[in-house]
Amino acid sequence: MIYDLVLEGIAVLTVQHQVRDIASLIAELTPAFHAEVERLKRKA
């Protein structure tokens, strides 16, 4: 599970299968992933 802390609590960003290399996936998605996280946080 990938999550972020927001003022209202915890925002679940995505749930990935355990066998996937999450760190590598996030690295491949940067900066688009981080931009999407910020967009989601603004909506919260």
Side-chain angles (χ1 to χ4, degrees), residues 14-40:
T14 186
V15 178
Q16 298 287 331
H17 193 276
Q18 291 180 15
V19 297
R20 300 187 77 179
D21 183 354
I22 302 302
S24 293
L25 290 171
I26 291 173
E28 290 172 12
L29 293 173
T30 303
F33 178 77
H34 295 288
E36 181 67 8
V37 168
E38 291 305 314
R39 187 184 69 78
L40 290 169

